[in-house]
Amino acid sequence: MKQRILMLALLLASLTTATAKTALVVIAHGSPMEQWRTPVLNIEQQLRTAMSDVKEIGYIRVAMMEFTEPTIATVVAECETQGVDTIFAIPLFIAPSGHSEVDIPNIIGHKYDPQVVAELTEEQTRFVHSRLPIILGPTLSYDDFLEKTMLARVREMSTRPNDEAVLFVSHGDRQFVGYWSQKMYQICDYVKANTGIAVADFKFVAMGYKMVREMIPALQTISQQKKRILVQGVYLTSSAREMADMLDMEAEQHQQIADPELQVVYSDKGILPAASAEVCQWIRQRTLEWLHR
């Protein structure tokens, strides 16, 4: 009898293991603007193709932290109905920030900060109420993904490296400014080491018109060394060109910088969709590392 019970227990354990389903959930910030959220949502199907041979992953979804469906809470609820037993979640953010290290952990129940919860509640954020284990992965700043991606964008714009400089712009995060600065220095050094461009710098800029006030001095400083400046945004879906057009940056530049020789070239690409394939491969590699840890 004991032998039969043991065999039954082993059979049940093997069946449980065989039917275990792990979900890969990619969490992005979200946006009310369709042109900003669509490239992120499109990652879902591309990931399914890139991960088709990874049998340990049985469900793949993209979730938005705020502004739009599918929210994190919606996707976790879907995972429960799909019979998922573990979620590996990748926060698709440039680098550690208040969103990836504070907001999302509070949303999924990894942390409880009353002030943060109150702020998120006021923003009508839906919180996760689930017993499913959720493991958070790294941001895009892990390894040299950003360095390689920014190098590719700069090479697309560059026509005469010896005469050019690069200015990388990003929103950054005051809470993690040391980390962000280190990563931006690494991007600058990587681009200089792999092109003929000798001058590269970065600037953290705010949203809206403050961006103009913050960028003009940076352009003035660089223009004293090089007269052709390539401006590349380190953003997930936004581009430097899009933001410059929205703020009429070129008119402000001509008005405030009296240098007829200065030429500023704004990149029309962010990370997505230009590097969608590379993002999918990066997510795949992080998932495999976690699965086989």
Side-chain angles (χ1 to χ4, degrees), residues 37-293:
R37 67 174 182 267
T38 296
V40 179
L41 292 172
N42 288 343
I43 283 287
E44 186 173 289
Q45 186 55 51
Q46 295 167 351
L47 262 179
R48 287 175 182 151
T49 300
M51 300 286 293
S52 60
D53 63 326
V54 183
K55 303 308 179 185
E56 298 97 326
I57 300 296
Y59 196 58
I60 296 175
R61 285 289 268 140
V62 167
M64 299 296 186
M65 192 187 79
E66 60 185 16
F67 291 122
T68 184
E69 291 283 354
T71 65
I72 301 172
T74 295
V75 170
V76 172
E78 289 177 3
C79 288
E80 290 178 323
T81 63
Q82 290 290 323
V84 166
D85 57 20
T86 306
I87 297 173
F88 181 57
I90 290 283
L92 202 60
F93 290 79
I94 300 298
S97 66
H99 291 319
S100 68
E101 309 304 310
V102 179
D103 293 341
I104 291 174
N106 274 276
I107 291 171
I108 65 176
H110 279 196
K111 293 181 179 180
Y112 175 65
D113 183 321
Q115 183 176 345
V116 173
V117 169
E119 291 171 356
L120 291 170
T121 300
E122 188 175 343
E123 296 170 1
Q124 299 184 327
T125 300
R126 291 181 58 204
F127 293 88
V128 171
H129 300 285
S130 174
R131 293 188 177 182
L132 279 180
I134 304 175
I135 293 85
L136 281 175
T139 62
L140 290 169
S141 61
Y142 178 81
D143 72 19
D144 59 359
F145 171 80
L146 289 174
E147 287 90 330
K148 290 180 177 178
T149 303
M150 291 300 105
L151 173 63
R153 301 289 80 79
V154 169
R155 281 176 170 167
E156 291 170 351
M157 290 188 289
S158 179
T159 58
R160 48 181 195 275
N162 291 335
D163 301 323
E164 296 169 336
V166 179
L167 175 64
F168 292 103
V169 291
S170 179
H171 294 320
D173 190 290
R174 290 182 179 179
Q175 291 177 272
F176 299 88
V177 67
Y179 185 97
W180 277 78
S181 295
Q182 181 183 28
K183 174 54 68 171
M184 297 298 282
Y185 279 123
Q186 289 172 349
I187 292 171
C188 290
D189 290 343
Y190 190 85
V191 168
K192 288 190 292 184
N194 289 278
T195 65
I197 297 173
V199 179
D201 203 353
F202 66 91
K203 182 69 178 179
F204 295 130
V205 296
M207 294 286 285
Y209 193 73
K210 285 184 178 179
M211 176 182 173
V212 178
R213 298 203 308 265
E214 293 165 342
M215 274 191 63
I216 293 297
L219 292 173
Q220 286 176 318
T221 299
I222 296 177
S223 68
Q224 295 173 16
Q225 300 179 72
K226 300 291 180 179
K227 296 304 180 184
R228 178 175 161 86
I229 305 174
L230 312 179
V231 180
Q232 174 63 49
V234 188
Y235 304 117
L236 187 62
T237 58
S238 300
S239 73
R241 164 54 62 190
E242 180 181 27
M243 298 177 74
D245 287 347
M246 187 167 51
L247 299 169
D248 204 9
M249 271 292 301
E250 290 186 348
E252 292 288 339
Q253 167 199 319
H254 292 309
Q255 182 177 347
Q256 297 188 43
I257 305 177
D259 189 343
E261 296 182 8
L262 179 61
Q263 180 186 11
V264 181
V265 180
Y266 294 92
S267 170
D268 62 357
K269 295 178 182 176
I271 293 175
L272 297 177
S276 291
E278 291 84 351
V279 168
C280 287
Q281 287 303 311
W282 182 88
I283 293 172
R284 172 189 167 89
Q285 188 58 38
R286 303 293 77 76
T287 304
L288 291 174
E289 289 171 356
W290 172 72
L291 287 169
H292 302 148
R293 67 198 185 283

